[in-house]
Amino acid sequence: MPSLDYSVEVKNLSMKFGDFTAVDDISFEVRRGEVFGFLGPNGAGKSTTIRMLCGILTPTGGSGSVCGFKLGDDNARIKTVIGYMSQKFSLYEDLTAYENLDFYSGVYPINRNQRRDRIEEALDISRLQPRRHDITGTLPVGLKQRLALVCSLMHKPQVLFLDEPTAGVDPLTRREFWELIYRLSESGVTVFVTTHYMDEVEHCDRIALINAGKLIKVDSPERLKLSGRKILEIECANWQKAFEVLRRHEAQIGESALFGTRIHIAPKTDDVVKIEGILDSSDCKLLSKREIMPSLEDVFVSLLSPEQL
Ligand SMILES: Nc1ncnc2c1ncn2[C@@H]1O[C@H](COP(=O)(O)OP(=O)(O)O)[C@@H](O)[C@H]1O
Ligand SMILES: [Mg+2]
């Protein structure tokens, strides 16, 4: 088996469906052991990319490899080194948690004793031991998601592909799911995870931002925030009116958003005087102003704004 620094490498990868380009000439690498987030709005091309990387779809352009195995040529071998949890994962609802794990481990050539150990390990890591004999259909959705994830680990894959694993669940459940992802990452598994939740990618080592099939940016959350435009945070005596006034002048000064009673502006210019002037002439006294680091959400909104694309 090839030894490598990268778990995933793609170069000019494209996928066309007829004359529609779902994935458009993307190139990136995922390092071994990394938690790599693939972020983009619905229809951006996230699932299509994952399906190519898992050897389910054959790319119509470019090339790539997973654990050194070439996409297309080595699809059968790729399947032995990856785990995949699709957006619509399937568990047997009428089997217990244990029986689902037993079924999924039976798909792979694992001997009986090893199989038992792996099931116990999976129940431990997913914290599902107390529910091992519960019928899967009766488990809350968060536990089903954790169960589906560990079902995809029974053959000890080196790379795990998760396609929107936390879609439609509450923030607490999402956090518990992410804790499981960290535990896996610490054990050396590379995790490639797609999401459309901006707050989630904060947990990733690096993030790729994808929109309309094109890769916009790949970087760590910290570096993305540092590279983003500074945000001006202001407080005004009459904040509701001030916010309305600033919104009306967005074309001139930049976008405004309300954070409690404070207002965040992504200034188009360094000309703070212009903003003060607008507020003064509307009887909204500026009480304080300071520059703050943009949040990841601020950075993505500005990267996806029509002026940037
Ligand atoms: N088999 C297919 N045939 C035609 N179009 C497809 C097919 N699969 C996906 N698409 C289109 O490709 C685009 C990207 O889809 P997808 O990769 O599922 O996006 P995402 O997972 O980011 O929401 C969408 O416009 C979708 O309708
Ligand atoms: Mg998708």
Side-chain angles (χ1 to χ4, degrees):
M1 196 169 294
S3 95
L4 323 126
D5 296 329
Y6 295 125
S7 292
V8 176
E9 276 183 280
V10 301
K11 204 154 172 45
N12 307 113
L13 199 69
S14 295
M15 185 71 211
K16 284 188 171 196
F17 296 110
D19 50 16
F20 173 74
T21 307
V23 174
D24 195 358
D25 198 17
I26 65 174
S27 303
F28 64 89
E29 294 94 28
V30 180
R31 298 180 193 125
R32 267 173 68 165
E34 205 170 27
V35 178
F36 190 82
F38 213 55
L39 174 77
N42 276 332
K46 303 183 294 295
S47 296
T48 306
T49 304
I50 277 208
R51 285 186 199 120
M52 289 191 276
L53 296 176
C54 294
I56 300 165
L57 279 177
T58 303
T60 54
S63 61
S65 65
V66 173
C67 298
F69 299 126
K70 274 178 94 95
L71 300 187
D73 301 350
D74 297 331
N75 280 355
R77 284 208 279 185
I78 287 177
K79 287 185 181 127
T80 65
V81 292
I82 63 150
Y84 169 50
M85 177 176 159
S86 77
Q87 244 170 312
K88 290 208 169 64
F89 58 84
S90 52
L91 291 168
Y92 292 93
E93 296 267 315
D94 52 342
L95 297 183
T96 65
Y98 186 96
E99 286 165 343
N100 263 299
L101 285 162
D102 192 45
F103 172 81
Y104 279 99
S105 61
V107 174
Y108 299 99
I110 310 168
N111 76 41
R112 214 160 216 324
N113 287 336
Q114 227 179 11
R115 196 155 142 184
R116 256 188 238 127
D117 290 346
R118 291 212 184 154
I119 295 174
E120 293 307 320
E121 222 178 288
L123 289 165
D124 287 340
I125 193 171
S126 60
R127 313 241 150 106
L128 280 165
Q129 282 289 10
R131 313 293 291 263
R132 58 191 283 146
H133 296 308
D134 287 14
I135 298 291
T136 302
T138 67
L139 294 174
V141 62
L143 297 193
K144 280 188 200 168
Q145 277 164 326
R146 263 148 57 188
L147 178 60
L149 188 150
V150 289
C151 280
S152 68
L153 291 176
M154 298 315 289
H155 57 303
K156 298 245 170 213
Q158 297 172 38
V159 190
L160 182 61
F161 291 97
L162 304 172
D163 197 1
E164 301 207 18
T166 57
V169 302
D170 62 83
L172 182 65
T173 307
R174 271 163 55 194
R175 180 165 298 180
E176 285 165 354
F177 196 87
W178 274 91
E179 280 166 12
L180 174 55
I181 292 179
Y182 291 144
R183 288 197 286 278
L184 288 173
S185 164
E186 274 162 18
S187 73
V189 178
T190 306
V191 181
F192 185 106
V193 54
T194 75
T195 180
H196 63 260
Y197 294 118
M198 297 207 191
D199 59 323
E200 264 190 359
V201 284
E202 194 93 45
H203 305 293
C204 299
D205 294 315
R206 284 191 310 142
I207 306 161
L209 180 65
I210 181 171
N211 187 48
K214 289 200 164 64
L215 203 62
I216 309 291
K217 196 110 183 168
V218 185
D219 218 331
S220 67
E222 294 73 28
R223 286 171 53 102
L224 279 168
K225 281 188 273 190
L226 283 172
S227 70
R229 234 183 325 163
K230 290 276 187 301
I231 300 288
L232 187 66
E233 182 180 79
I234 62 166
E235 285 180 293
C236 294
N238 187 350
W239 57 270
Q240 281 149 317
K241 184 171 175 204
F243 181 56
E244 276 169 36
V245 171
L246 292 170
R247 286 294 283 264
R248 275 206 300 279
H249 290 81
E250 257 178 10
Q252 212 182 327
I253 57 172
E255 277 170 38
S256 301
L258 211 48
F259 283 78
T261 60
R262 288 162 297 155
I263 300 168
H264 286 190
I265 308 167
K268 281 201 164 156
T269 63
D270 291 334
D271 194 0
V272 180
V273 178
K274 207 190 274 176
I275 295 171
E276 286 186 62
I278 290 169
L279 289 170
D280 270 347
S281 62
S282 314
D283 272 343
C284 301
K285 192 173 157 36
L286 186 67
L287 298 177
S288 73
K289 61 170 193 282
R290 60 182 189 129
E291 268 199 351
I292 57 167
M293 281 270 279
S295 66
L296 270 182
E297 184 162 342
D298 293 325
V299 175
F300 294 142
V301 167
S302 88
L303 283 172
L304 294 179
S305 75
E307 316 160 17
Q308 293 279 326
L309 294 173

